[in-house]
Amino acid sequence: MWIWFTLLAAVAQAGRNAFQKQLSQDVPVLGVTLARFLYAVPLAVGYLCVLYQQDTSLEVPDFPLLFYVYVIGASLAQILATSLMVKLFHLKNYAIGVGLAKSEAVLAAILGVCFFGVDIHFIGWIGVLLGGVAIFLMTGSGNLRQLSWKTLFLGIGSGLSFALTSLWVREASLQLHSHYLISAAWVLASVISFEALLLVGYLAWRDKQTLVKLWQRPKLVILTSLFSFLGSFGWFNAMSLNHVAFVKTLGQVEIFLILMISSFIFKERLKLQDFVGLILVVVAAILVVWQ
């Protein structure tokens, strides 16, 4: 089941990133980041309510202190990760900006093994590393002359922040000891609500003009939030069922969609190394599924 949730997340995330790139042309970084969560809150809360309405025997889980710690950590890390990725849009082309942030799969594997007690076998490591090489090729990162230190640090910083987000989301879900759908739904609603409240409060205090710009672009903001909700729904459920590194490695099939969007919508040329990378993504996905 985690495979289908991951594929849903990958498709939705590719769409969300495309909408965020369009929004970033006229809206500041924090505004674009808020667009990801703003209208996703009622969707997440509504989904949680539907689960309980469909099965009245479901009980509200106990929420230990660690649940709140992980939710807050994941929320802050995701805000930072999204902000850094939006900055990348202005430094490199669409595929490179998103691709550098996809280092999260390899980073999640390393952090998971070192700090979260994750056990990854040899085949799993091969799949994760092949996925990393594929992203390296497809984003054009192999040509170091085209990479500034700023771009590199923003990309790795975004990937690291996304990796921590995913790991803490999984840990928060595991704290609830409920059915994976209920656990993932509570984490989803909690994280998105906290992120939205935090960013709306900050922008209302320091930058009201950004909120006005979002209000003036309802269609693009709603689409960004909708695809963000669908992506988070897929990721959170998948990560409740399997290790983050495997979920994110399989999720790298998203890069295929990113390259198609980059080519057909933003008219950016694809190279031979992009197609080699695509083959490696497929092999990596097969290995982590086999694992």
Side-chain angles (χ1 to χ4, degrees), residues 149-182:
W149 284 108
K150 183 176 182 180
T151 302
L152 186 61
F153 285 136
L154 284 174
I156 297 300
S158 180
L160 178 61
S161 299
F162 275 129
L164 287 171
T165 300
S166 301
L167 289 164
W168 284 333
V169 161
R170 174 169 168 80
E171 292 300 315
S173 181
L174 294 177
Q175 295 299 312
L176 300 184
H177 304 289
S178 298
H179 188 277
Y180 76 90
L181 286 175
I182 292 296

Side-chain angles (χ1 to χ4, degrees), residues 12 33 40 44 51 74 91 99-101 109 121 124 129 147 158 167 215 225 227 263:
T33 304
L51 285 180
L91 297 178
L100 284 171
H121 298 299
L129 294 176
L147 280 177
S158 180
L167 289 164
W215 181 257
S225 290
F227 277 78
S263 176

Side-chain angles (χ1 to χ4, degrees), residues 2 5 47-48 51-52 59-75 116 164-191 232-244 247:
W2 72 273
F5 281 126
Y47 167 64
L48 182 61
L51 285 180
Y52 280 100
E59 296 182 356
V60 176
D62 294 326
F63 299 97
L65 178 60
L66 273 178
F67 171 81
Y68 298 102
V69 172
Y70 288 132
V71 163
I72 292 173
S75 301
F116 293 85
L164 287 171
T165 300
S166 301
L167 289 164
W168 284 333
V169 161
R170 174 169 168 80
E171 292 300 315
S173 181
L174 294 177
Q175 295 299 312
L176 300 184
H177 304 289
S178 298
H179 188 277
Y180 76 90
L181 286 175
I182 292 296
S183 297
W186 274 108
V187 176
L188 178 62
S190 300
V191 168
S232 295
F233 169 80
W235 291 129
F236 284 30
N237 278 290
M239 290 184 296
S240 293
L241 293 168
N242 206 344
H243 295 307
V244 171
V247 171

Side-chain angles (χ1 to χ4, degrees), residues 50-91:
V50 167
L51 285 180
Y52 280 100
Q53 187 177 28
Q54 293 296 316
D55 188 351
T56 55
S57 65
L58 292 174
E59 296 182 356
V60 176
D62 294 326
F63 299 97
L65 178 60
L66 273 178
F67 171 81
Y68 298 102
V69 172
Y70 288 132
V71 163
I72 292 173
S75 301
L76 295 176
Q78 191 168 48
I79 289 173
L80 176 60
T82 304
S83 298
L84 293 177
M85 189 175 69
V86 172
K87 284 182 175 293
L88 279 167
F89 289 154
H90 300 290
L91 297 178

